Amino acid sequence: MQGQTTLLQYEAPWPVHCLDWSKSATSSQRGARSAFRLGIASLVEGYTNRIAVVGLRDERVLVEDDYTDYPDFVALCDTVHGYPATNLQWQPASVHGWAQGPASTELLAATGDALRVYEYNSDAPPTGSSFVGRQPATSGHTLTTKTALSGQSKVQSQSLGAPLTNFSWNEKSPSLIVTSSIDTTCTVWNIETSSAITQLIAHDREVYDVAWLPGSTDIFVSVGADGSLRAFDLRSLEHSTILYETPAPKHLPTPAASPAASARPPTSPLLRIGFNPADSNYMSTFHMDGHDIQILDMRSPGQPVMELKAHHAPVNAFAWGPPEQPLLATAGDDCQVLLWDLASFNNTTQGASPRSASSRLNSPRPDAKKRIVTEPVMAYTAPSQVTNLAWSAQIQSVAMHEQWLAVVSGKAVKALRVA
């Protein structure tokens, strides 16, 4: 539609490290403003970091590119977080059928020195009303700590658990969150009871990311500094399944004099892991300082089935779009945000259930051959390095269902409309 805005911007008072787009219902009854709500977290030295919720100041910016009376976004509320948050996520969309609370209440979780769950409350205006004049957009918004979880580590002697690197919120059972830690462990928490269900030693070195298998409350995967991707099943914790290990460096350095150093061969750490929401056979990952994205198939463990090669500097982040249009967005130090449509490359099995994942782990596909993909379907060049990104859910606008992608460069957050 001619005249529609394609870019919204927000300048934070501090460098932004992580962000997430609210997954709340975006029905027309609540208006477009409720769909354009982001959680952001700072990255500053010391114990003075903050988490903030920002929202659309005026809906007119969505249809008028030159509407400049107000900023596109405004801070609705914020709170102290202490150390920098390593990840930030709004509650899954499925929470709306689980949480006991008003529609104006949402949960927001963050990891750092602990797993913290916040309660965001917005006193939304009644149906049919709208802000006029210069009425503040921040009235009635609060962000309060609901719970903070930090348990005793299996491999550490201190009273508190080690710092957490990441987490994944279970969509099917939203009371479950699994966290990863630098102490080699993963912990499954029940945030309703504020208790740890289980903690397991997941890797030989630090664990950097973790993700629930879509549709499952038992199976999750993790990646870490040991260069491996592993799958765990809570119904059988005696062993894990190694789905992928990074190849050994081609040119090994001269063995160190110290036996302790030689006992740890050099590896290429894996930093992130994420499932394709439209086909949970497929996962994406990338290596520390790597320029490429590896696509893995749970049915073909051992090597990637696809590699995405277009970035010219280390990759920092990726994010899969909603299942309705699962584009993969990637971002890196080359100031590029690239969008990949992998549907034509995936030999998907229609109707496959994520619940069958445990049987898929040891059922390799004999026809798996690695494809090299070098052409993204869309690209955006940012003014500086892009460190993180997040998709919106499908937003129901006046004209169509649309998607937006938020990207982080320093203090700037830019929301891009994806046609």
Side-chain angles (χ1 to χ4, degrees):
M1 182 171 121
Q2 190 172 7
Q4 281 192 320
T5 302
T6 57
L7 173 67
L8 300 172
Q9 304 184 68
Y10 175 73
E11 189 79 10
W14 21 253
V16 178
H17 178 54
C18 45
L19 81 166
D20 194 30
W21 205 299
S22 173
K23 305 169 184 68
S24 64
T26 56
S27 63
S28 56
Q29 285 86 355
R30 296 190 65 186
R33 184 184 287 113
S34 67
F36 287 82
R37 187 162 54 241
L38 297 166
I40 61 175
S42 68
L43 178 60
V44 297
E45 290 187 7
Y47 200 69
T48 58
N49 285 272
R50 303 191 74 82
I51 288 176
V53 177
V54 302
L56 205 60
R57 182 63 185 259
D58 193 297
E59 295 178 17
R60 282 173 286 185
V61 301
L62 296 177
V63 292
E64 301 176 34
D65 256 328
D66 59 349
Y67 188 80
T68 56
D69 285 4
Y70 305 124
D72 294 335
F73 287 95
V74 64
L76 303 175
C77 54
D78 70 343
T79 189
V80 174
H81 185 264
Y83 292 116
T86 53
N87 194 7
L88 182 73
Q89 291 181 30
W90 289 96
Q91 64 188 30
S94 56
V95 168
H96 294 283
W98 162 77
Q100 303 297 318
S104 60
T105 298
E106 292 178 69
L107 300 181
L108 181 67
T111 42
D113 56 330
L115 168 64
R116 291 180 173 84
V117 180
Y118 300 89
E119 189 171 84
Y120 165 72
N121 188 275
S122 64
D123 295 326
T127 302
S129 71
S130 61
F131 289 109
V132 294
R134 295 190 176 273
Q135 182 176 350
T138 56
S139 59
H141 298 265
T142 59
L143 191 62
T144 56
T145 302
K146 185 179 177 70
T147 185
L149 303 172
S150 178
Q152 173 68 44
S153 169
K154 277 188 174 183
V155 294
Q156 299 278 341
S157 59
Q158 71 263 30
S159 58
L160 296 178
L164 304 176
T165 56
N166 226 311
F167 73 98
S168 178
W169 208 323
N170 193 288
E171 293 194 9
K172 187 172 183 180
S173 180
S175 61
L176 299 180
I177 287 179
V178 59
T179 58
S180 55
S181 173
I182 64 170
D183 69 357
T184 76
T185 68
C186 291
T187 304
V188 178
W189 304 90
N190 184 323
I191 61 172
E192 269 193 310
T193 60
S194 298
S195 60
I197 295 175
T198 187
Q199 183 184 77
L200 53 96
I201 298 174
H203 288 257
D204 299 327
R205 299 170 68 178
E206 298 92 334
V207 190
Y208 289 143
D209 198 9
V210 65
W212 288 104
L213 177 72
S216 174
T217 58
D218 301 304
I219 297 171
F220 64 87
V221 297
S222 62
V223 292
D226 61 6
S228 69
L229 162 63
R230 306 189 183 202
F232 300 88
D233 191 329
L234 296 181
R235 297 163 298 188
S236 178
L237 290 176
E238 294 79 18
H239 61 86
S240 63
T241 302
I242 297 179
L243 299 176
Y244 173 62
E245 287 185 294
T246 56
K250 294 180 181 179
H251 304 289
L252 290 174
T254 304
S258 167
S262 60
R264 278 191 171 187
T267 60
S268 179
L270 295 173
L271 294 188
R272 295 289 177 264
I273 186 67
F275 281 97
N276 180 344
D279 185 345
S280 59
N281 288 304
Y282 294 98
M283 300 166 286
S284 54
T285 187
F286 62 87
H287 300 252
M288 180 180 289
D289 298 324
H291 297 191
D292 308 327
I293 304 287
Q294 286 73 41
I295 305 297
L296 302 152
D297 188 335
M298 291 186 80
R299 300 162 298 183
S300 302
Q303 65 176 357
V305 295
M306 198 180 309
E307 280 194 324
L308 313 182
K309 294 177 174 286
H311 284 286
H312 303 292
V315 174
N316 292 323
F318 61 65
W320 288 95
E324 299 84 2
Q325 187 186 8
L327 295 173
L328 176 63
T330 62
D333 282 351
D334 56 1
C335 308
Q336 293 289 303
V337 177
L338 306 179
L339 300 187
W340 307 83
D341 186 354
L342 305 180
S344 60
F345 297 97
N346 294 347
N347 297 319
T348 58
T349 303
Q350 297 299 323
S353 168
R355 296 293 293 173
S356 64
S358 57
S359 61
R360 292 204 310 260
L361 295 181
N362 297 305
S363 302
R365 286 189 345 182
D367 61 335
K369 295 180 180 179
K370 185 168 74 171
R371 300 170 184 253
I372 305 298
V373 184
T374 58
E375 296 293 333
V377 295
M378 281 181 268
Y380 167 77
T381 302
S384 60
Q385 298 172 343
V386 182
T387 54
N388 220 328
L389 36 73
W391 285 94
S392 74
Q394 281 208 334
I395 296 173
Q396 182 177 347
S397 67
V398 176
M400 66 190 80
H401 291 275
E402 60 192 35
Q403 287 176 248
W404 290 73
L405 178 67
V407 303
V408 172
S409 294
K411 295 182 179 181
V413 177
K414 298 180 186 293
L416 314 172
R417 186 198 297 268
V418 179

